[in-house]
């Protein structure tokens, strides 16, 4: 076997920023961003509902998949806390058998200079941005000062290469971000550029959405078994960050 036997990818639970932005690219107004303004992306906390989502998801993951060999997070606060919530479903003796690691290659896309802006502020600061985005599309275009999803694929590919080399035959859980999950799918499922441009309606990964890949019988590739399954019953967010 040249690949992990099982790769389970989970989007982080609802964050305070998800709650404030309500699925929008930018903040609606100054009131909407007040709670999280000035907090860097890697320090954004989970919401109260987010903690519940992670705990409920953990119960289902343990029941379905059992113990993992390795658990990876992006190191961002919201993925670390989501992983902790998931692992809280396991008794101490089982948690001790799972190695938890942070990997910077699976962090969220860098949002650039417009990170804390409202819609009006972004349009005033970057009046050319909408036309640029329409020209290059949502996979290739870079937010000002940030990364394109194509940039993120490069580091996701590096992460996967490490898994293929070091975790062959093992069970791996990854807790990461919405945009990064699109890049995992691009790399693992050999998507073309048009397919990666945007999520189809209703297909963007939900908070704590669970995506499953298993190693094919040939041993040389991971095959998608299930995408974006939800196990929790509280809260909701469709924001890709």
């Amino acid at each position: 076997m040249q690949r992990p036997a099982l790769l389970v990818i989970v989007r982080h639970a609802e964050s305070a920023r998800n709650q404030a932005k309500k699925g929008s690219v930018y903040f609606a107004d100054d009131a909407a961003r007040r709670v999280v303004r000035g907090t860097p992306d890697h320090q954004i906390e989970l919401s109260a509902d987010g903690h519940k989502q992670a705990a409920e998801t953990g119960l289902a993951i343990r029941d379905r998949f059992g113990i993992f060999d390795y658990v990876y997070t992006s190191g961002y606060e919201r993925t670390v806390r989501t992983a902790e919530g998931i692992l809280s479903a396991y008794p101490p003796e089982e948690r001790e058998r799972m190695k938890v690691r942070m990997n910077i290659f699976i962090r969220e896309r860098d949002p650039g200079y417009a990170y804390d802006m409202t819609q009006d502020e972004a349009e005033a600061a970057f009046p050319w941005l909408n036309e640029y985005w329409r020209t290059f599309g949502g996979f290739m275009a870079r937010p000002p000062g940030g990364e394109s999803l194509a940039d993120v694929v490069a580091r996701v590919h590096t992460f996967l290469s490490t898994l293929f080399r070091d975790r062959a035959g093992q069970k791996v859980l990854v807790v990461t971000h919405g945009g990064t999950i699109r890049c995992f799918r691009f790399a693992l499922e050999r998507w073309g550029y048009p397919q990666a441009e945007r999520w189809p309606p209703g297909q963007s990964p939900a908070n704590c959405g669970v995506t499953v890949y298993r190693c094919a019988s040939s041993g040389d590739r991971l095959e998608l078994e299930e995408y974006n399954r939800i196990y929790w019953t509280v809260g909701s967010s469709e924001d890709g960050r």
Side-chain angles (χ1 to χ4, degrees):
M1 187 176 290
Q2 304 166 38
R3 300 288 186 266
L6 174 71
L7 175 62
V8 177
I9 303 174
V10 181
R11 186 190 170 205
H12 63 80
E14 182 188 70
S15 72
R17 193 173 175 89
N18 293 151
Q19 201 171 59
K21 291 179 74 178
K22 302 184 186 302
S24 299
V25 175
Y26 304 107
F27 290 100
D29 50 37
D30 189 61
R33 70 179 167 190
R34 187 170 295 130
V35 174
V36 293
R37 186 172 189 176
T39 305
D41 203 18
H42 65 281
Q43 293 179 5
I44 295 293
E45 299 273 359
L46 293 184
S47 68
D49 275 348
H51 285 285
K52 295 174 185 177
Q53 291 169 358
E56 290 185 24
T57 302
L59 292 170
I61 283 179
R62 178 176 180 261
D63 182 64
R64 181 174 175 188
F65 303 111
I67 297 170
F68 292 87
D69 295 289
Y70 279 84
V71 178
Y72 288 93
T73 77
S74 68
Y76 282 35
E77 189 72 9
R78 57 193 183 273
T79 65
V80 172
R81 299 305 170 207
T82 300
E84 289 176 353
I86 291 171
L87 295 180
S88 70
Y90 293 79
E93 62 272 16
E94 292 182 352
R95 289 202 300 272
E96 289 175 4
R97 293 167 57 186
M98 295 183 281
K99 299 177 180 65
V100 181
R101 299 287 186 268
M102 182 274 280
N103 192 292
I104 196 170
F105 290 127
I106 57 171
R107 69 188 187 277
E108 180 57 291
R109 170 196 207 163
D110 186 338
Y113 305 132
Y115 170 68
D116 259 352
M117 289 184 177
T118 65
Q119 180 84 37
D120 290 344
E121 289 169 346
E123 290 178 355
F126 309 109
W128 43 266
L129 186 57
N130 286 336
E131 182 176 355
Y132 163 74
W133 214 265
R134 286 193 297 269
T135 301
F136 284 91
F139 187 71
M140 293 296 190
R142 289 188 178 94
E147 293 179 293
S148 68
L149 286 174
D151 293 329
V152 178
V153 168
R155 48 184 173 80
V156 166
H157 189 274
T158 300
F159 173 76
L160 287 171
S161 295
T162 301
L163 289 190
F164 297 166
R165 183 190 67 207
D166 298 337
R167 307 290 172 243
Q170 297 183 347
K171 294 167 64 178
V172 177
L173 172 66
V174 170
V175 184
T176 186
H177 307 263
T180 315
I181 289 172
R182 195 186 325 179
C183 297
F184 269 102
R185 296 199 68 185
F186 181 91
L188 288 171
E189 299 172 43
R190 301 176 183 176
W191 280 5
Y193 297 136
Q195 193 171 4
E197 283 289 323
R198 62 183 60 83
W199 293 111
Q203 288 296 301
S204 58
N207 292 120
C208 277
V210 177
T211 297
V212 181
Y213 292 89
R214 290 190 189 272
C215 190
S217 58
S218 61
D220 63 354
R221 69 183 185 278
L222 290 168
E223 296 180 331
L224 181 68
E225 178 176 286
E226 187 172 36
Y227 171 65
N228 199 32
R229 182 166 181 180
I230 307 303
Y231 291 100
W232 50 263
T233 58
V234 294
S236 177
S237 174
E238 294 294 330
D239 180 9
R241 300 196 59 74

